[in-house]
Amino acid sequence: MTIEGCAKRIFGQIQCFLAPLAFVVLWQCLATSGWINPQILPSPIKVFAKWWEYLRPLEPYDGGNYLTWLVSGELLKDAYASLLRVVGGFIIGAVLALPLGLFMGANTVVYNVLNPLLQILRPIPPIAYIPLAILWFGLGNPPAFFLISIGAFFPILMNTITGVRHVDPIYLRVARNLGADRVTTFTRVIMPAAMPYILTGMRIGVGTAFIVVIVAEMIAVNNGLGYRILEAREYMWSDKIIAGMFTIGLLGLGIDSAMSRLNNYLLRWRSSIET
C-alpha cells in the first residue's frame, strides 16, 4: 500500500471520531458553563466516573479467582443479562421468521392467504404486548424473550418475503433451462439472490431487539441495563442513567459491526462478480 493510500485510510478512521468528540466537547462546555443543571445533565467527566464505578467490581479482591472477581462488577452482569435476552429473543424470532418468509415468498397462494393477517399484526408495537406477556408468562425472562422475539420477527419476515419475491426472473429461467429442479433452484438461486434482503432484515431485527429489551427490563425483570436505568431514575442518578445509555450504545455498535462483517463475508461473492 502506498503512503497516500495509508494516509487516506488513517484519515478515514479519524473521521469516525470527529462527530462524537465534538459532541462530548460541546456537552462539557455547556456543563461547565453553568447553563445546565448538573442534576439533570451531568458533565461527561462525571458520567465517565460513574460508568467506571459501575464497571468496577463491587467488593475488593480477596485473593480468590482473579478473573471471576474482575467480571463481578454490576455493569458487566447487567450487560450480560441484557445481551442474553437480546440474543435469545432474536434467535427465536429469526427461527420463526426465516422459514415462514421463505415459504410465503416462494408460494403465491400462501402469501395471499397469510399476508392480510400479517399486515394487521405488523403495525402493533411489541410494547403493546406487555400486559399480555406478563399475563401469559408472568415475570422474569420468558415475557422478555417473547417481546424481543416479536420485535425481531417482523423485520426479518418482511425482508425475507421481499427478497424472495424480487428475485430476477432471468435467474429463474436460466436455472430451468439448465435443468435445475425446484429444490436446486431454491437453494442455489433464490436463497443467494434473497440473502442481501434477509441480512438487512436481521440487522434491523437486532436493532429492534435492543429497543424492546430495555423496555422489557424496565417492567418484567429485576436485572439488566433497562432495569438499572429505571432504578437510577427513581434515585435521580442522572449520571448512572446516561452511563447505562452509553453502555447500550456501545453494545449496539458492537453487534451492528459484527452483523456488517457477517454481511460482507456472506455476500463476498457479489464483489467478485462486480469486479
Side-chain angles (χ1 to χ4, degrees):
M1 183 179 293
T2 63
I3 298 178
E4 182 180 357
C6 292
K8 288 183 178 180
R9 183 175 180 180
I10 294 173
F11 181 71
Q13 293 176 347
I14 293 176
Q15 282 182 314
C16 300
F17 299 97
L18 292 179
L21 182 61
F23 174 77
V24 171
V25 170
L26 177 61
W27 177 9
Q28 181 66 33
C29 292
L30 291 175
T32 55
S33 64
W35 291 355
I36 302 175
N37 185 349
Q39 187 65 32
I40 298 176
L41 184 63
S43 67
I45 296 176
K46 292 184 178 179
V47 170
F48 180 77
K50 176 59 69 173
W51 184 82
W52 181 251
E53 178 185 338
Y54 188 20
L55 176 65
R56 290 186 332 185
L58 298 176
E59 302 293 336
Y61 182 57
D62 58 0
N65 189 308
Y66 183 76
L67 181 60
T68 302
W69 171 81
L70 191 64
V71 298
S72 63
E74 192 178 55
L75 174 62
L76 294 178
K77 292 180 179 179
D78 289 335
Y80 173 77
S82 296
L83 273 177
L84 181 65
R85 295 183 184 109
V86 167
V87 173
F90 176 80
I91 290 175
I92 294 172
V95 167
L96 295 174
L98 282 173
L100 181 60
L102 292 171
F103 193 40
M104 289 181 62
N107 192 306
T108 304
V109 175
V110 176
Y111 176 83
N112 292 334
V113 171
L114 296 181
N115 186 57
L117 176 62
L118 293 176
Q119 295 305 325
I120 293 174
L121 297 176
R122 185 171 62 90
I124 302 175
I127 300 173
Y129 290 93
I130 288 177
L132 289 176
I134 296 176
L135 182 64
W136 292 342
F137 302 104
L139 299 177
N141 283 328
F145 284 135
F146 172 73
L147 295 171
I148 295 166
S149 63
I150 291 177
F153 175 81
F154 284 103
I156 299 174
L157 176 67
M158 302 311 297
N159 276 271
T160 302
I161 294 173
T162 302
V164 174
R165 291 178 64 86
H166 282 76
V167 175
D168 196 328
I170 294 178
Y171 298 159
L172 302 179
R173 288 198 296 269
V174 170
R176 284 196 297 267
N177 292 337
L178 293 175
D181 56 19
R182 289 188 176 183
V183 175
T184 303
T185 301
F186 187 80
T187 57
R188 302 297 298 273
V189 178
I190 295 177
M191 280 287 291
M195 190 59 65
Y197 291 87
I198 295 173
L199 293 176
T200 300
M202 294 178 71
R203 289 185 71 177
I204 298 173
V206 168
T208 307
F210 256 104
I211 296 173
V212 177
V213 72
I214 301 305
V215 177
E217 288 176 345
M218 290 181 175
I219 297 171
V221 298
N222 58 0
N223 61 2
L225 295 171
Y227 172 80
R228 208 61 64 186
I229 290 174
L230 184 64
E231 179 188 57
R233 180 194 66 84
E234 294 176 354
Y235 292 98
M236 288 293 292
W237 294 337
S238 300
D239 49 0
K240 192 170 184 178
I241 294 174
I242 300 175
M245 295 168 61
F246 177 70
T247 305
I248 295 168
L250 288 179
L251 291 176
L253 176 63
I255 291 183
D256 186 72
S257 299
M259 292 292 295
S260 178
R261 290 179 179 273
L262 177 64
N263 182 73
N264 293 335
Y265 175 76
L266 293 178
L267 299 180
R268 62 190 183 279
W269 56 270
R270 297 182 67 190
S271 59
S272 62
I273 291 176
E274 293 173 357
T275 56

